Structure formats: C-alpha cells, structure tokens
Amino acid sequence: MGTTKKELFSLEDNQVAAIAKAVGHPARVAILKQLARLDACVCGDLVDVLPLSQSTVSQHLKALKEAHLILGEVEGKNVCYCINKEVWEKAQSLLTDFFSRR
Amino acid sequence: MGTTKKELFSLEDNQVAAIAKAVGHPARVAILKQLARLDACVCGDLVDVLPLSQSTVSQHLKALKEAHLILGEVEGKNVCYCINKEVWEKAQSLLTDFFSRR
DNA sequence: CCATTTCATCGCTATATTGCGATTCAATAC
DNA sequence: GTATTGAATCGCAATATAGCGATGAAATGG
C-alpha cells in the first residue's frame, strides 16, 4: 500500500498517468514552461527563477528526467536542461487523445 | 514540508498541476475513460470494471470530484457519476495549451 | 420493523512526496 | 596544489497517497 498497483492497468493508462503525474506539481509546470520558452536549454538559472531551494529544484528536475520529459546534458560545470522533444510530442498526443474523448 | 507551496506559483501553473495530478493515477485514468465512453453516467459498475476494492475506487472518485473533473448525483440507492463537461473542457484547453508550447 | 444493497467513510499500514540544509563530487579558477 | 562554483545526493521531518477491511448511513424490499 502507498504503492500504485500499476500491473493491473493497461500500458496506455499507465503512460497517461505517468506523464500527468510528472506534470502534477506547479514547480514542474513552471520548469517545463521555462524550458519551452527558452527553447534552447537552461541550467541552474531555473533555481533563480523558482521560489524553491536548489536541492528542491534538483529533485523536481530529477522527477521530470525520470519521466523522460526533459534531458540534462553536462556542460563543464553546468548542466543544461531541455525538453525531450520526442517524448514531449508523444505526451502531447497521449494527453490530447485522452482529453478528446467525449 | 511534505506540502506543496502552492502560494508561490501562478494560478495557471496551479490549475494545470491540479488537473494533471488528478489524472496522474492509472485507476483515475481508467475511470475517466469509462465515464467518457459511457457518456451517460454510471455508478458502482465502475467497481466491477476496476481491479481495486470498492473503498479504493471510492477514494479515487472522491479525488476526481475534488478536482471537479466529475460530478456525482445520488439516484436512490445508487450514485451516478459523469464527467463535468465544463471543467473537462477547461482542463482540455489548459492542457492542450500547455503542451502546445514549443 | 428488519434485511439487503450501494456507497462513503474510518482506521490502519506501507510507501511516496515535498521541502530544506548539509554534504559531496566534478569541473573550473587561481 | 587549494578555492570556488554548480549541481546532485543524503538525511531528515512533515505530510500526502494508495490500498484494504470494517463500519456506517441512506434507500429499497420485504
């Protein structure tokens, strides 16, 4: 318990849920918006923009990375994040389809 | 801590996050799909369709109701759930806009 | 009245999430 | 080499979530 019984649901339902879950926090929404806006990647400028500590922002970035919605590339001392275009488009179509029902 | 600092984010970011959070579980995805498919409302047939106990399904329905994505109407002994069309469309446009970035 | 059915809620356990400060590690700067 | 900077991770506390069985409350059936 406390654990989602993923095995019991369809792949698609799990995919939709996983994406939605990753987006389900205002900080992560804000991060994704920033990354979309800047098109090119950014790094820890995100920390400056967000009203959260560095460690907390790092956690959210990790969550988004685990959902494959973003990519992080090391550039010397910095890490450059950007939207994972492929997965983003997949997510877009999954969610669009989902909400187009009815 | 353990609590999202919603105050620190924009209304829109919070709205997007709240909807995504509600959708962020495969059981709730499955419920919403069913309700969309049956167009007309259903009741505890949902429990039969889902691989979860009645109490757990009830919890998920509560979560969806709190996100205003669904409506529940008492009909004698039964409760009839259906998608909240207005909010659903709002959610659709919010999420579509969100994913249309970039 | 009592029994049954339908659903919500309580009470509990297990696990996950959010947040932060402190620490660590790698890369640069000196 | 040491110092500094950027970012991930650790460790912790507070809270939230997922799941279930049991109990409750309202409506129907007798």
Side-chain angles (χ1 to χ4, degrees):
Chain A
M1 314 96 207
T3 316
T4 297
K5 297 191 158 180
K6 301 187 187 181
E7 337 78 61
L8 303 175
F9 298 93
S10 76
L11 175 62
E12 202 201 88
D13 289 359
N14 274 300
Q15 286 176 332
V16 171
I19 293 161
K21 189 174 180 181
V23 180
H25 190 290
R28 294 194 289 270
V29 171
I31 289 172
L32 290 168
K33 275 189 178 177
Q34 268 290 312
L35 293 183
R37 216 163 56 73
L38 301 185
D39 190 41
C41 325
V42 249
C43 25
D45 300 298
L46 285 168
V47 176
D48 298 333
V49 172
L50 295 167
L52 296 170
S53 75
Q54 181 265 321
S55 59
T56 303
V57 173
S58 189
Q59 289 274 52
H60 287 303
L61 288 169
K62 187 182 176 190
L64 290 172
K65 249 192 301 185
E66 281 170 359
H68 305 291
L69 282 171
I70 65 173
L71 295 171
E73 197 179 327
V74 180
E75 285 194 354
K77 200 187 306 191
N78 299 335
V79 178
C80 204
Y81 287 100
C82 61
I83 288 189
N84 186 340
K85 201 162 178 291
E86 262 186 57
V87 176
W88 184 264
E89 280 163 11
K90 171 76 174 173
Q92 181 174 25
S93 76
L94 273 171
L95 269 274
T96 300
D97 285 1
F98 177 72
F99 276 106
S100 301
R101 293 156 192 284
R102 107 162 304 280
Chain B
M1 314 96 203
T3 316
T4 297
K5 297 191 157 180
K6 302 187 185 177
E7 335 79 58
L8 303 176
F9 299 93
S10 75
L11 175 62
E12 202 201 87
D13 289 359
N14 273 300
Q15 287 177 331
V16 171
I19 293 162
K21 188 173 180 182
V23 180
H25 190 291
R28 294 193 290 268
V29 172
I31 289 172
L32 291 169
K33 275 188 178 177
Q34 268 290 312
L35 293 183
R37 215 165 55 73
L38 301 184
D39 191 40
C41 324
V42 249
C43 25
D45 301 298
L46 285 168
V47 176
D48 298 334
V49 173
L50 294 168
L52 296 171
S53 76
Q54 180 265 320
S55 60
T56 303
V57 173
S58 190
Q59 290 273 50
H60 286 302
L61 288 169
K62 187 182 176 188
L64 290 172
K65 248 191 303 184
E66 280 170 359
H68 306 291
L69 281 172
I70 65 173
L71 296 170
E73 196 179 328
V74 180
E75 286 196 353
K77 199 185 308 191
N78 299 334
V79 177
C80 204
Y81 285 99
C82 61
I83 288 188
N84 187 340
K85 201 162 176 292
E86 262 186 57
V87 176
W88 183 264
E89 279 163 12
K90 171 76 174 171
Q92 180 174 25
S93 77
L94 272 171
L95 270 274
T96 300
D97 285 1
F98 176 73
F99 276 106
S100 299
R101 290 157 195 286
R102 104 158 309 271

